[in-house]
Amino acid sequence: MNPFERLVKALTKLPGIGEKSASRLALFLTKEDRGISQEIANALIVMKEKIHFCKLCQNLTEEDLCSLCRDPRRNSSLLCVVEGPQDLIALEKTSEYRGLYYLLHGVISPLDGIGPDEMKFERLIKRIREGKFSEVILATNPNPEGEATALYLKKLLSSLGVKLTRIASGVPVGGTLEYSDPQTLARSLLTRREF
């Protein structure tokens, strides 16, 4: 396999990158000066050497504790459980949530061979027991795997004496009922709130 094919094959291992996109990226890198390729290679090496998981929330960080866990302005009585860093970033962009986080780095997915034992929920239980949380928000995605994970966590955490809540789901802002699927409409009705 020549170096170009090797690069294309390596790039297809990235999530969301198919063979066409990988070929396009590889072609770009071959046409550009060596500086961009070297910059990307160096950034990858530094990231792998310096980035690890926060010992409290499992977020990505260079320190023992991430910047969110170190921030004294965060509401330390709220804990939001998310699937991964991308979900934490999305929630932070809203500027609505000011509590702490816990990242699962996955969800229960029997079809992929991921059960509760592979998820290492004992770390989450330890985090809740050691913290003084009044509420734990289960913010997994509203898909079958996220729902299964949230239901499992509800059973697992209900005996810890903390209020458990689930993020609402339903018709998106700007959406229409006419084009919403039946599951989304059903969820909207089930999670309705007083107006």
Side-chain angles (χ1 to χ4, degrees):
M1 183 180 314
N2 69 43
F4 181 80
E5 292 169 338
R6 185 174 170 213
L7 177 58
V8 170
K9 185 176 179 182
L11 290 170
T12 60
K13 293 178 182 176
L14 296 171
I17 304 290
E19 195 163 336
K20 271 187 174 182
S21 295
S23 294
R24 199 172 304 123
L25 289 168
L27 281 171
F28 171 80
L29 291 171
T30 59
K31 290 178 185 177
E32 294 301 313
D33 66 10
R34 184 178 167 99
I36 293 173
S37 297
Q38 193 64 51
E39 186 178 341
I40 292 170
N42 290 340
L44 286 169
I45 290 168
V46 168
M47 187 238 354
K48 289 303 286 180
E49 289 174 351
K50 294 191 176 197
I51 299 293
H52 57 273
F53 296 132
C54 172
K55 68 181 185 180
L56 284 181
C57 75
Q58 304 301 306
N59 192 12
L60 301 174
T61 184
E62 289 183 62
E63 311 288 330
D64 282 343
L65 296 177
C66 72
S67 60
L68 297 173
C69 286
R70 289 191 320 261
D71 188 346
R73 296 169 297 175
R74 305 294 295 199
N75 183 343
S76 62
S77 70
L78 293 175
L79 183 68
C80 185
V81 179
V82 296
E83 292 179 21
Q86 68 280 8
D87 302 313
L88 182 150
I89 291 166
L91 286 169
E92 282 298 295
K93 283 182 181 177
T94 70
S95 299
E96 290 295 320
Y97 179 72
R98 297 293 303 152
L100 300 173
Y101 291 94
Y102 186 86
L103 286 73
L104 297 171
H105 292 284
V107 287
I108 295 172
S109 179
L111 293 175
D112 296 320
I114 302 169
D117 293 338
E118 287 75 30
M119 292 299 300
K120 300 176 184 162
F121 290 133
E122 60 275 358
R123 286 182 180 171
L124 173 59
I125 293 169
K126 181 180 180 201
R127 173 90 160 118
I128 293 170
R129 282 190 173 136
E130 291 177 355
K132 293 183 175 116
F133 301 109
S134 61
E135 181 180 356
V136 174
I137 304 163
L138 302 176
T140 55
N141 288 311
N143 57 27
E145 296 82 7
E147 290 294 328
T149 304
L151 286 171
Y152 186 85
L153 287 173
K154 179 183 177 186
K155 289 178 190 173
L156 190 66
L157 305 176
S158 62
S159 64
L160 297 180
V162 65
K163 177 182 176 183
L164 293 175
T165 58
R166 178 87 172 106
I167 57 168
S169 60
V171 179
V173 174
T176 60
L177 297 181
E178 177 183 4
Y179 297 112
S180 296
D181 63 273
Q183 292 86 3
T184 300
L185 283 176
R187 180 58 60 97
S188 297
L189 287 169
L190 290 172
T191 59
R192 68 188 183 277
R193 58 184 171 86
E194 193 171 321
F195 185 60

